[in-house]
Amino acid sequence: MAIKFRKIARPSTIPFLAAIVANVAGIPAHAGEQIFDELRFGASASIQGGHEHEDGIFPEATVFFDPFGQGAAIGWKQQLARPRVNIGTSIGTSGEATQVFAGLSWTVNFNEKLFAEAGFGGLWHNGELEGNTDGPNLGCRFLFREYLGAGYRFDQHWNVIAQVAHASHANLCDGPNNGMTRAGIQIGYKF
């Protein structure tokens, strides 16, 4: 039984869900600590050409954790030595693949406003493995995922980031390896 995204996430539910997550994120895990470091919502679209192109827009949500203390890092060397952990999803619409991903993210601040980010990890998807004539053939369910982004901070809490994310199996499993490449924008709230 397929559940349609439109029935689950109406536009009016997004602010409601964001408010719930913001309240839960403020609950301390230990005295003086928060569970989440940052929450991002946004959307992406496929930037692949030909039959590998995915139709539709992909709503996205990512949660970041800071177990290594990147927020306290001074200078780019410490920032690179202290990645954050991320967990998220890119929801398939128009019959395309949904992704659930996790990995590490590295952020370098150029100044108080501008930053760059890179990430590496893995994902699970429900897309076509082979024989797809209207989208990518992905070969296996678990793929590597990497992304690059450039961002701007409005203040100590709010930011925006444009990013490109790619997923493929790097020819480590049998079957085709068209991969998925999506670009998009996310709005972030840092707690």
Side-chain angles (χ1 to χ4, degrees):
M1 178 176 155
I3 299 173
K4 301 234 182 221
F5 176 74
R6 290 183 195 125
K7 291 182 180 179
I8 297 173
R10 296 184 178 137
S12 61
T13 62
I14 293 173
F16 176 72
L17 292 173
I20 290 173
V21 172
N23 284 321
V24 169
I27 298 171
H30 301 291
E33 294 183 21
Q34 293 178 330
I35 296 173
F36 304 132
D37 183 53
E38 184 176 350
L39 175 65
R40 291 184 186 159
F41 287 104
S44 65
S46 175
I47 58 173
Q48 291 175 222
H51 82 277
E52 298 171 3
H53 179 79
E54 297 175 279
D55 296 328
I57 299 295
F58 302 90
E60 297 185 347
T62 310
V63 177
F64 291 83
F65 305 88
D66 190 9
F68 307 115
Q70 186 183 59
I74 299 171
W76 67 271
K77 289 180 184 178
Q78 283 188 13
Q79 290 170 349
L80 292 178
R82 299 178 181 185
R84 293 189 299 167
V85 176
N86 68 67
I87 299 172
T89 186
S90 181
I91 300 169
T93 60
S94 302
E96 301 296 350
T98 291
Q99 303 174 355
V100 177
F101 54 83
L104 299 175
S105 297
W106 292 267
T107 304
V108 174
N109 298 312
F110 298 115
N111 57 41
E112 289 183 8
K113 298 289 185 181
L114 299 175
F115 65 95
E117 195 168 271
F120 180 78
L123 68 77
W124 172 89
H125 69 87
N126 66 352
E128 296 291 330
L129 300 183
E130 57 184 279
N132 192 2
T133 58
D134 187 27
N137 292 295
L138 302 168
C140 54
R141 289 278 165 230
F142 294 95
L143 306 175
F144 294 107
R145 178 182 185 267
E146 58 275 345
Y147 77 91
L148 292 172
Y152 179 82
R153 288 186 188 91
F154 298 104
D155 58 30
Q156 66 180 358
H157 297 290
W158 293 99
N159 65 69
V160 62
I161 185 168
Q163 68 181 34
V164 175
H166 175 74
S168 70
H169 62 69
N171 295 321
L172 295 177
C173 69
D174 293 333
N177 187 25
N178 296 147
M180 292 179 276
T181 305
R182 299 173 180 175
I185 295 178
Q186 292 189 344
I187 299 293
Y189 183 82
K190 191 162 175 59
F191 298 97

